[in-house]
Coordinates of all heavy atoms in Angstrom, one line a residue:
M1 N 109.9 113.3 108.1 CA 110.6 112.1 108.4 C 109.8 111.2 109.2 O 109.3 111.7 110.2 CB 111.9 112.5 109.0 CG 112.9 111.3 109.2 SD 114.6 111.8 109.7 CE 114.2 112.5 111.4
R2 N 109.7 110.0 109.0 CA 109.0 109.1 109.8 C 109.9 107.8 110.3 O 110.4 107.2 109.3 CB 107.7 108.5 109.1 CG 107.0 107.5 109.9 CD 105.7 107.1 109.3 NE 104.7 108.0 109.6 CZ 103.5 108.0 109.0 NH1 103.1 107.0 108.2 NH2 102.6 108.8 109.4
R3 N 110.0 107.6 111.5 CA 110.8 106.5 111.9 C 110.1 105.2 111.7 O 108.9 105.2 112.1 CB 111.1 106.6 113.4 CG 112.1 105.6 113.9 CD 112.4 105.8 115.3 NE 113.2 107.0 115.6 CZ 114.6 106.9 115.9 NH1 115.2 105.8 116.0 NH2 115.1 108.1 116.1
R4 N 110.7 104.2 111.0 CA 110.1 102.9 110.6 C 110.5 101.8 111.5 O 109.8 101.0 111.9 CB 110.2 102.7 109.1 CG 109.8 103.6 108.2 CD 108.2 103.6 108.3 NE 107.7 104.7 107.3 CZ 106.5 104.8 107.0 NH1 105.5 104.0 107.6 NH2 106.1 105.6 106.1
T5 N 111.8 101.9 111.9 CA 112.4 101.0 112.9 C 113.2 101.8 113.8 O 113.5 103.1 113.6 CB 113.3 99.9 112.1 OG1 114.4 100.5 111.7 CG2 112.4 99.2 111.0
P6 N 113.8 101.2 114.8 CA 114.8 102.1 115.7 C 115.9 102.7 115.0 O 116.4 103.8 115.4 CB 115.1 101.0 116.7 CG 114.1 100.1 116.8 CD 113.5 99.8 115.5
A7 N 116.4 102.1 113.9 CA 117.6 102.7 113.1 C 117.3 103.1 111.7 O 118.1 103.7 111.0 CB 118.5 101.6 113.1
M8 N 116.0 103.1 111.2 CA 115.6 103.6 109.9 C 114.4 104.4 109.9 O 113.5 104.2 110.6 CB 115.5 102.4 109.0 CG 115.2 102.7 107.5 SD 113.6 103.1 106.9 CE 112.8 101.5 107.0
A9 N 114.4 105.5 109.1 CA 113.3 106.4 108.8 C 113.1 106.6 107.4 O 114.0 106.4 106.5 CB 113.5 107.7 109.6
T10 N 111.9 107.1 107.0 CA 111.6 107.5 105.6 C 111.4 109.0 105.6 O 110.9 109.5 106.5 CB 110.3 106.8 105.1 OG1 109.3 107.0 105.9 CG2 110.5 105.3 104.9
L11 N 111.9 109.5 104.4 CA 111.8 111.0 104.2 C 110.6 111.1 103.1 O 110.7 110.5 102.1 CB 113.1 111.5 103.5 CG 113.1 112.8 103.1 CD1 113.0 113.8 104.3 CD2 114.4 113.1 102.3
N12 N 109.7 112.1 103.5 CA 108.6 112.3 102.7 C 108.4 113.9 102.5 O 108.8 114.6 103.4 CB 107.4 111.8 103.2 CG 107.3 110.4 103.4 OD1 107.4 109.6 102.5 ND2 107.5 109.9 104.6
Y13 N 108.1 114.3 101.3 CA 107.8 115.8 101.2 C 106.9 116.1 100.1 O 106.7 115.2 99.1 CB 109.2 116.5 100.9 CG 110.0 115.9 99.6 CD1 109.6 116.3 98.4 CD2 111.0 115.0 100.0 CE1 110.5 115.8 97.4 CE2 111.7 114.5 99.0 CZ 111.5 114.9 97.7 OH 112.2 114.4 96.5
I14 N 106.2 117.1 100.2 CA 105.2 117.6 99.1 C 105.3 119.0 99.1 O 105.3 119.7 100.0 CB 103.8 117.3 99.5 CG1 103.5 115.6 99.5 CG2 102.8 117.8 98.5 CD1 102.2 115.2 100.1
L15 N 105.5 119.5 97.9 CA 105.6 121.0 97.6 C 104.5 121.6 96.8 O 104.1 120.8 95.8 CB 106.9 121.3 97.0 CG 108.2 121.3 97.9 CD1 109.4 121.1 96.9 CD2 108.2 122.4 98.8
R16 N 104.0 122.7 97.0 CA 103.0 123.3 96.1 C 103.6 123.5 94.7 O 104.8 123.9 94.6 CB 102.6 124.7 96.7 CG 101.7 124.6 97.8 CD 101.1 125.9 98.1 NE 101.8 127.1 97.6 CZ 102.3 128.0 98.4 NH1 102.0 128.2 99.8 NH2 102.9 129.1 97.8
E17 N 102.9 123.4 93.6 CA 103.5 123.5 92.3 C 104.1 124.9 92.1 O 105.2 124.9 91.3 CB 102.4 123.3 91.3 CG 102.9 123.1 89.9 CD 101.8 122.6 89.0 OE1 100.7 122.1 89.4 OE2 101.9 122.8 87.7
D18 N 103.7 125.9 92.6 CA 104.2 127.3 92.4 C 105.5 127.5 93.1 O 106.2 128.4 92.9 CB 103.2 128.4 92.8 CG 102.8 128.4 94.3 OD1 103.0 127.4 95.0 OD2 102.4 129.4 94.7
T19 N 106.0 126.4 93.9 CA 107.3 126.5 94.5 C 108.3 125.6 93.8 O 109.5 125.7 94.2 CB 107.2 126.2 96.0 OG1 106.9 124.8 96.1 CG2 106.2 127.1 96.7
W20 N 107.9 124.8 92.9 CA 108.9 123.9 92.2 C 110.0 124.6 91.5 O 109.9 125.8 91.1 CB 108.0 123.1 91.2 CG 106.9 122.2 91.7 CD1 106.9 121.8 93.0 CD2 106.2 121.4 90.9 NE1 105.8 121.0 93.1 CE2 105.4 120.6 91.8 CE3 106.0 121.3 89.6 CZ2 104.4 119.8 91.4 CZ3 104.9 120.3 89.1 CH2 104.2 119.7 90.0
G21 N 111.2 124.0 91.5 CA 112.3 124.6 90.7 C 113.0 125.6 91.5 O 113.9 126.3 90.8
N22 N 112.8 126.0 92.7 CA 113.6 127.0 93.4 C 114.5 126.3 94.4 O 115.2 127.0 95.0 CB 112.6 127.8 94.2 CG 111.7 128.5 93.3 OD1 112.3 129.4 92.5 ND2 110.4 128.5 93.4
G23 N 114.6 125.0 94.5 CA 115.7 124.4 95.4 C 115.3 124.1 96.7 O 115.9 123.6 97.6
Y24 N 113.9 124.4 97.0 CA 113.4 124.4 98.3 C 113.4 122.9 99.0 O 113.8 122.6 100.0 CB 112.0 124.9 98.5 CG 111.9 126.4 98.1 CD1 110.8 126.9 97.4 CD2 112.8 127.3 98.5 CE1 110.5 128.1 97.2 CE2 112.6 128.6 98.2 CZ 111.6 129.0 97.5 OH 111.4 130.4 97.2
A25 N 113.0 122.0 98.0 CA 113.0 120.6 98.4 C 114.3 120.0 98.7 O 114.6 119.2 99.6 CB 112.3 119.7 97.4
T26 N 115.3 120.4 97.8 CA 116.7 119.9 98.0 C 117.3 120.5 99.3 O 117.8 119.8 100.2 CB 117.6 120.3 96.9 OG1 117.0 119.7 95.6 CG2 119.0 119.9 97.1
E27 N 117.1 121.7 99.6 CA 117.6 122.4 100.8 C 116.9 121.6 102.0 O 117.6 121.4 103.1 CB 117.3 123.8 100.8 CG 117.9 124.5 102.0 CD 117.6 126.0 102.1 OE1 117.3 126.6 101.0 OE2 117.8 126.7 103.1
A28 N 115.6 121.5 102.0 CA 114.9 120.8 103.2 C 115.4 119.5 103.2 O 115.5 119.0 104.4 CB 113.4 120.9 103.0
A29 N 115.5 118.6 102.2 CA 116.0 117.2 102.3 C 117.4 117.2 103.1 O 117.7 116.4 103.8 CB 115.9 116.7 101.0
E30 N 118.3 118.2 102.5 CA 119.6 118.1 103.0 C 119.7 118.4 104.5 O 120.5 117.8 105.2 CB 120.4 119.1 102.4 CG 120.8 118.7 100.9 CD 121.5 119.8 100.1 OE1 121.4 121.0 100.4 OE2 122.0 119.5 99.0
R31 N 118.8 119.3 105.0 CA 118.7 119.7 106.4 C 118.1 118.6 107.2 O 118.5 118.4 108.3 CB 117.9 121.0 106.6 CG 118.6 122.2 106.1 CD 117.7 123.4 106.3 NE 118.4 124.6 105.7 CZ 118.4 125.8 106.2 NH1 117.7 126.0 107.3 NH2 119.0 126.8 105.8
V32 N 117.2 117.9 106.6 CA 116.4 116.7 107.5 C 117.5 115.6 107.5 O 117.6 115.1 108.7 CB 115.2 116.3 106.8 CG1 114.7 114.9 107.3 CG2 114.1 117.4 107.0
V33 N 118.3 115.3 106.6 CA 119.3 114.3 106.5 C 120.3 114.6 107.6 O 120.8 113.7 108.4 CB 120.0 114.2 105.1 CG1 121.3 113.4 105.3 CG2 119.0 113.5 104.1
R34 N 120.8 115.9 107.6 CA 121.8 116.3 108.5 C 121.3 116.2 110.0 O 121.9 115.6 110.9 CB 122.2 117.8 108.3 CG 123.5 118.3 109.0 CD 124.1 119.5 108.4 NE 123.1 120.6 108.2 CZ 122.8 120.9 106.9 NH1 123.4 120.3 105.9 NH2 121.9 121.9 106.6
L35 N 120.1 116.6 110.3 CA 119.3 116.5 111.5 C 119.2 115.0 111.9 O 119.5 114.6 113.1 CB 117.9 117.2 111.5 CG 117.2 117.1 112.8 CD1 117.8 118.0 113.7 CD2 115.7 117.4 112.5
A36 N 118.8 114.1 111.0 CA 118.6 112.7 111.3 C 119.8 112.1 111.6 O 119.8 111.2 112.7 CB 118.0 112.1 110.0
F37 N 120.9 112.4 111.0 CA 122.1 111.6 111.3 C 123.0 112.3 112.4 O 124.0 111.7 112.8 CB 123.0 111.5 110.1 CG 122.3 110.4 109.1 CD1 122.5 110.7 107.7 CD2 121.6 109.4 109.5 CE1 121.8 109.7 106.7 CE2 121.1 108.6 108.6 CZ 121.3 108.7 107.3
T38 N 122.7 113.4 112.8 CA 123.4 114.2 113.9 C 122.8 114.1 115.2 O 123.4 114.3 116.2 CB 124.0 115.6 113.5 OG1 122.8 116.4 113.3 CG2 124.8 115.5 112.3
T39 N 121.4 114.1 115.3 CA 120.7 114.1 116.5 C 119.9 113.0 116.9 O 119.3 113.0 117.9 CB 119.7 115.4 116.5 OG1 118.7 115.1 115.4 CG2 120.6 116.7 116.3
T40 N 119.9 111.9 116.1 CA 119.2 110.7 116.4 C 120.2 109.5 116.2 O 121.3 109.7 115.7 CB 118.0 110.5 115.5 OG1 118.5 110.1 114.1 CG2 117.2 111.7 115.3
D41 N 119.7 108.3 116.6 CA 120.5 107.1 116.4 C 120.1 106.4 115.1 O 120.5 105.2 114.9 CB 120.3 106.1 117.5 CG 118.8 105.8 117.8 OD1 118.0 106.3 117.2 OD2 118.5 104.9 118.6
L42 N 119.6 107.0 114.1 CA 119.2 106.5 112.9 C 120.5 106.2 112.0 O 121.5 107.0 112.1 CB 118.4 107.5 112.0 CG 117.0 107.7 112.5 CD1 116.3 108.8 111.7 CD2 116.1 106.5 112.5
N43 N 120.4 105.2 111.3 CA 121.7 104.9 110.5 C 121.2 104.7 109.0 O 122.1 104.5 108.2 CB 122.5 103.6 111.0 CG 121.8 102.3 110.9 OD1 120.7 102.2 110.2 ND2 122.0 101.4 111.8
R44 N 119.9 104.8 108.7 CA 119.5 104.6 107.4 C 118.3 105.5 107.1 O 117.4 105.5 108.0 CB 119.2 103.1 107.1 CG 118.7 102.8 105.7 CD 118.3 101.3 105.6 NE 117.8 100.9 104.5 CZ 118.4 100.4 103.4 NH1 119.7 100.1 103.5 NH2 117.8 100.1 102.3
L45 N 118.2 106.2 105.9 CA 117.1 106.9 105.5 C 116.7 106.3 104.2 O 117.6 105.9 103.4 CB 117.3 108.4 105.4 CG 117.5 109.1 106.6 CD1 118.0 110.6 106.2 CD2 116.3 109.2 107.5
E46 N 115.3 106.2 104.0 CA 114.8 105.7 102.7 C 113.7 106.8 102.1 O 113.2 107.4 102.9 CB 114.2 104.3 102.8 CG 115.1 103.2 103.3 CD 114.4 101.9 103.4 OE1 113.1 101.7 103.1 OE2 115.1 100.9 103.7
A47 N 113.6 106.7 100.9 CA 112.6 107.5 100.2 C 112.2 107.1 98.8 O 113.1 106.1 98.3 CB 113.3 109.0 100.0
M48 N 111.1 107.4 98.3 CA 110.7 106.9 97.0 C 109.9 107.9 96.4 O 109.5 109.0 96.9 CB 110.0 105.6 97.2 CG 108.7 105.8 97.8 SD 107.7 104.1 97.8 CE 108.8 103.0 98.8
H49 N 109.7 107.9 95.1 CA 109.0 108.8 94.2 C 108.3 108.2 93.2 O 108.7 107.1 92.6 CB 109.9 110.1 93.8 CG 110.8 109.7 92.7 ND1 110.3 109.8 91.4 CD2 112.0 109.4 92.7 CE1 111.4 109.4 90.7 NE2 112.5 109.2 91.4
H50 N 107.2 108.8 92.8 CA 106.3 108.3 91.6 C 107.1 108.3 90.4 O 107.9 109.4 90.2 CB 105.0 109.1 91.5 CG 104.1 108.5 90.7 ND1 104.2 108.6 89.2 CD2 103.0 107.7 91.0 CE1 103.1 108.0 88.7 NE2 102.5 107.5 89.8
P51 N 107.1 107.4 89.4 CA 107.8 107.4 88.2 C 107.6 108.7 87.2 O 108.4 109.0 86.6 CB 107.6 106.2 87.5 CG 106.4 105.7 88.1 CD 106.3 106.1 89.6
A52 N 106.4 109.3 87.5 CA 106.0 110.4 86.8 C 106.7 111.7 87.2 O 106.3 112.7 86.8 CB 104.5 110.5 86.6
N53 N 107.4 111.6 88.4 CA 107.9 112.7 89.0 C 109.6 112.6 89.1 O 110.0 112.5 90.2 CB 107.3 113.0 90.4 CG 107.8 114.3 91.0 OD1 108.4 115.1 90.4 ND2 107.4 114.4 92.3
P54 N 110.2 112.7 88.0 CA 111.6 112.5 87.9 C 112.3 113.7 88.8 O 113.4 113.4 89.2 CB 112.1 112.5 86.6 CG 110.9 113.2 85.8 CD 109.6 112.9 86.6
A55 N 111.7 114.8 88.9 CA 112.4 115.9 89.7 C 112.6 115.5 91.1 O 113.6 115.9 91.7 CB 111.5 117.1 89.6
S56 N 111.6 114.8 91.7 CA 111.9 114.2 93.0 C 113.1 113.3 93.2 O 113.8 113.3 94.1 CB 110.7 113.5 93.6 OG 109.8 114.4 94.2
G57 N 113.3 112.6 92.1 CA 114.5 111.8 92.1 C 115.8 112.5 92.1 O 116.8 112.3 92.7
R58 N 115.8 113.7 91.3 CA 116.9 114.5 91.3 C 117.2 115.2 92.6 O 118.3 115.4 93.1 CB 116.8 115.6 90.2 CG 116.8 115.0 88.7 CD 116.9 116.1 87.6 NE 115.7 116.9 87.6 CZ 114.6 116.6 86.9 NH1 114.6 115.4 86.2 NH2 113.5 117.2 86.8
V59 N 116.0 115.5 93.3 CA 116.2 116.1 94.7 C 116.8 115.1 95.6 O 117.8 115.4 96.3 CB 114.8 116.5 95.2 CG1 114.8 116.7 96.7 CG2 114.2 117.8 94.6
L60 N 116.4 113.9 95.6 CA 117.0 112.9 96.4 C 118.4 112.6 96.1 O 119.3 112.4 97.0 CB 116.2 111.6 96.4 CG 114.7 111.7 96.9 CD1 114.0 110.5 96.5 CD2 114.8 111.9 98.4
T61 N 118.9 112.6 94.8 CA 120.2 112.4 94.5 C 121.1 113.5 94.9 O 122.2 113.4 95.4 CB 120.4 112.3 92.9 OG1 119.5 111.1 92.6 CG2 121.7 112.0 92.5
K62 N 120.5 114.7 94.8 CA 121.4 116.0 95.2 C 121.5 116.0 96.7 O 122.5 116.5 97.2 CB 120.7 117.3 94.9 CG 120.7 117.7 93.2 CD 119.9 118.9 93.1 CE 119.6 119.1 91.7 NZ 118.8 120.3 91.5
A63 N 120.5 115.4 97.4 CA 120.7 115.3 98.9 C 121.5 114.2 99.4 O 121.8 114.1 100.6 CB 119.3 115.2 99.5
G64 N 122.0 113.4 98.3 CA 123.0 112.3 98.9 C 122.3 110.9 98.8 O 123.1 109.9 99.2
F65 N 121.1 110.7 98.5 CA 120.5 109.4 98.3 C 121.0 108.7 97.1 O 121.4 109.3 96.1 CB 118.9 109.4 98.2 CG 118.3 109.8 99.6 CD1 118.3 111.1 100.1 CD2 117.7 109.0 100.4 CE1 117.7 111.4 101.2 CE2 117.1 109.1 101.5 CZ 117.1 110.5 102.0
T66 N 121.0 107.5 97.1 CA 121.5 106.5 96.0 C 120.2 105.7 95.6 O 119.5 105.1 96.5 CB 122.4 105.5 96.4 OG1 123.6 106.3 96.8 CG2 122.9 104.6 95.3
R67 N 119.9 105.6 94.3 CA 118.7 104.8 93.9 C 119.0 103.4 93.9 O 120.0 102.9 93.5 CB 118.4 105.3 92.4 CG 117.2 104.5 91.8 CD 116.7 105.0 90.5 NE 115.5 104.3 90.2 CZ 115.6 103.1 89.3 NH1 116.7 102.8 88.9 NH2 114.4 102.7 89.0
T68 N 118.2 102.6 94.6 CA 118.4 101.2 94.7 C 117.5 100.3 94.0 O 117.7 99.1 93.9 CB 118.4 100.8 96.2 OG1 117.1 101.1 96.7 CG2 119.4 101.6 97.1
G69 N 116.4 100.8 93.4 CA 115.5 99.9 92.6 C 114.1 100.5 92.6 O 113.9 101.7 92.6
T70 N 113.3 99.6 92.5 CA 111.8 99.9 92.4 C 111.0 99.2 93.5 O 111.4 98.2 93.9 CB 111.1 99.9 90.9 OG1 111.2 98.5 90.7 CG2 111.9 100.7 90.1
S71 N 109.8 99.8 93.8 CA 108.9 99.2 94.7 C 107.4 99.3 94.0 O 107.0 100.6 93.9 CB 108.9 99.7 96.1 OG 107.9 99.1 97.0
H72 N 106.9 98.2 93.7 CA 105.5 98.4 93.0 C 104.4 98.6 94.2 O 104.2 97.9 95.1 CB 105.2 97.2 92.3 CG 106.0 97.1 91.1 ND1 107.4 96.7 91.0 CD2 105.8 97.3 89.8 CE1 107.8 96.7 89.8 NE2 106.9 97.1 89.0
R73 N 103.8 99.7 93.9 CA 102.6 100.1 94.8 C 101.4 100.2 94.1 O 101.4 100.7 92.9 CB 102.9 101.5 95.5 CG 104.2 101.7 96.1 CD 104.1 101.2 97.5 NE 105.3 101.2 98.3 CZ 105.4 101.5 99.5 NH1 104.4 101.7 100.2 NH2 106.5 101.5 100.2
R74 N 100.3 99.7 94.7 CA 99.0 99.7 94.0 C 98.4 101.1 94.2 O 98.2 101.7 95.2 CB 98.1 98.6 94.6 CG 98.7 97.3 94.4 CD 97.6 96.3 93.7 NE 98.3 95.0 93.5 CZ 98.7 94.6 92.4 NH1 98.6 95.4 91.2 NH2 99.3 93.3 92.1
A75 N 97.9 101.6 93.0 CA 97.2 102.8 93.0 C 95.7 102.5 93.3 O 95.3 101.4 93.4 CB 97.4 103.5 91.6
G76 N 94.9 103.6 93.4 CA 93.5 103.4 93.7 C 92.8 102.7 92.7 O 91.8 102.0 93.1
D77 N 93.2 102.5 91.5 CA 92.6 101.7 90.4 C 93.0 100.3 90.4 O 92.7 99.4 89.7 CB 92.6 102.3 89.1 CG 94.1 102.6 88.7 OD1 95.0 102.1 89.3 OD2 94.3 103.2 87.6
G78 N 94.0 100.0 91.4 CA 94.5 98.6 91.5 C 95.7 98.4 90.7 O 96.4 97.4 90.8
I79 N 96.1 99.3 89.9 CA 97.3 99.1 88.9 C 98.6 99.3 89.8 O 98.7 100.3 90.5 CB 97.2 100.0 87.8 CG1 95.9 99.7 86.9 CG2 98.5 100.0 87.0 CD1 95.7 100.7 85.8
A80 N 99.5 98.4 89.6 CA 100.8 98.5 90.2 C 101.7 99.6 89.6 O 101.8 99.6 88.4 CB 101.5 97.2 90.2
V81 N 102.2 100.5 90.3 CA 103.0 101.6 89.9 C 104.5 101.4 90.5 O 104.6 101.2 91.6 CB 102.5 102.9 90.4 CG1 103.3 104.1 90.0 CG2 101.1 103.2 89.9
P82 N 105.4 101.5 89.6 CA 106.8 101.2 90.0 C 107.5 102.4 90.5 O 108.2 103.2 89.8 CB 107.5 100.7 88.7 CG 106.8 101.5 87.7 CD 105.4 101.4 88.1
Y83 N 107.4 102.6 91.9 CA 108.0 103.8 92.5 C 109.5 103.6 92.5 O 110.0 102.5 92.8 CB 107.4 104.0 93.9 CG 106.1 104.7 94.0 CD1 104.9 104.1 93.6 CD2 106.2 106.0 94.4 CE1 103.7 104.8 93.6 CE2 104.9 106.7 94.6 CZ 103.8 106.1 94.1 OH 102.6 106.7 94.3
Q84 N 110.3 104.7 92.4 CA 111.6 104.6 92.5 C 112.1 104.7 93.9 O 111.7 105.5 94.6 CB 112.2 105.8 91.7 CG 111.7 105.9 90.3 CD 111.9 104.7 89.4 OE1 113.0 104.1 89.2 NE2 110.7 104.1 88.9
V85 N 113.0 103.8 94.3 CA 113.4 103.7 95.7 C 114.9 104.2 95.9 O 115.8 103.9 95.0 CB 113.3 102.3 96.3 CG1 113.8 102.2 97.7 CG2 112.0 101.7 96.1
Y86 N 115.1 105.1 96.9 CA 116.5 105.6 97.2 C 116.8 105.2 98.6 O 115.8 105.3 99.5 CB 116.3 107.1 97.0 CG 116.2 107.5 95.6 CD1 115.0 107.5 94.9 CD2 117.3 108.0 94.8 CE1 114.8 107.7 93.6 CE2 117.1 108.3 93.5 CZ 115.9 108.2 92.8 OH 115.7 108.5 91.5
V87 N 118.0 105.2 99.0 CA 118.5 104.9 100.3 C 119.7 105.8 100.5 O 120.5 106.2 99.8 CB 118.9 103.4 100.4 CG1 119.6 103.0 101.7 CG2 117.7 102.5 100.3
M88 N 119.8 106.1 101.8 CA 121.0 106.9 102.4 C 121.5 106.1 103.7 O 120.7 106.1 104.5 CB 120.8 108.3 102.5 CG 122.1 109.0 103.0 SD 121.9 110.7 103.4 CE 121.6 111.4 101.8
Q89 N 122.7 105.8 103.8 CA 123.3 105.3 105.1 C 124.1 106.4 105.6 O 124.5 107.2 105.1 CB 124.3 104.1 104.7 CG 123.7 102.9 104.0 CD 122.8 102.1 104.8 OE1 122.8 102.1 106.0 NE2 121.9 101.3 104.1
N90 N 124.0 106.4 107.1 CA 124.7 107.3 107.9 C 126.2 107.2 107.5 O 126.8 106.1 107.5 CB 124.4 107.1 109.4 CG 125.1 108.3 110.2 OD1 125.6 109.2 109.6 ND2 124.9 108.2 111.5
R91 N 126.9 108.3 107.2 CA 128.3 108.2 106.7 C 129.2 108.2 107.9 O 129.1 108.8 108.9 CB 128.6 109.4 105.9 CG 127.7 109.6 104.8 CD 127.8 110.9 104.2 NE 126.6 111.6 104.1 CZ 126.2 112.1 102.8 NH1 126.9 112.2 101.9 NH2 124.9 112.5 102.7

């Protein structure tokens, strides 16, 4: 988790391929969300994933995030990639 403004942070994660499909990312994301909203003054979390990685979108949805759109990011070759953007507001 990285604080971007006093009230908003972004959630990031990377897992080794041999750990995929075990629920680790979902469990970790849920714990970070709980920690963020109970021990800090954050009121918004954001996350995004590469369009070729739909499993990360499922992780974010299971953790309570809502898909809000796309954000085009330039890759190393200069081509814009439409990352999927997700948001969660403090409940």
Side-chain angles (χ1 to χ4, degrees):
M1 187 172 65
R2 175 181 275 177
R3 191 178 289 255
R4 299 294 181 170
T5 71
M8 189 273 287
T10 54
L11 174 69
N12 302 288
Y13 53 88
I14 298 173
L15 288 162
R16 291 187 339 231
E17 191 171 340
D18 64 339
T19 65
W20 294 354
N22 293 305
Y24 301 141
T26 301
E27 182 178 345
E30 289 170 343
R31 288 180 184 214
V32 169
V33 165
R34 194 167 40 252
L35 179 75
F37 289 148
T38 60
T39 64
T40 73
D41 57 350
L42 294 172
N43 62 25
R44 179 182 174 101
L45 290 174
E46 296 181 1
M48 64 176 66
H49 72 85
H50 192 280
N53 185 7
S56 276
R58 290 190 295 277
V59 165
L60 294 169
T61 300
K62 288 180 197 176
F65 285 79
T66 301
R67 185 171 179 267
T68 60
T70 57
S71 176
H72 288 78
R73 303 285 179 136
R74 297 234 176 257
D77 58 7
I79 296 173
V81 177
Y83 278 73
Q84 310 303 303
V85 178
Y86 292 75
V87 172
M88 181 188 293
Q89 301 287 340
N90 192 2
R91 306 169 230 229

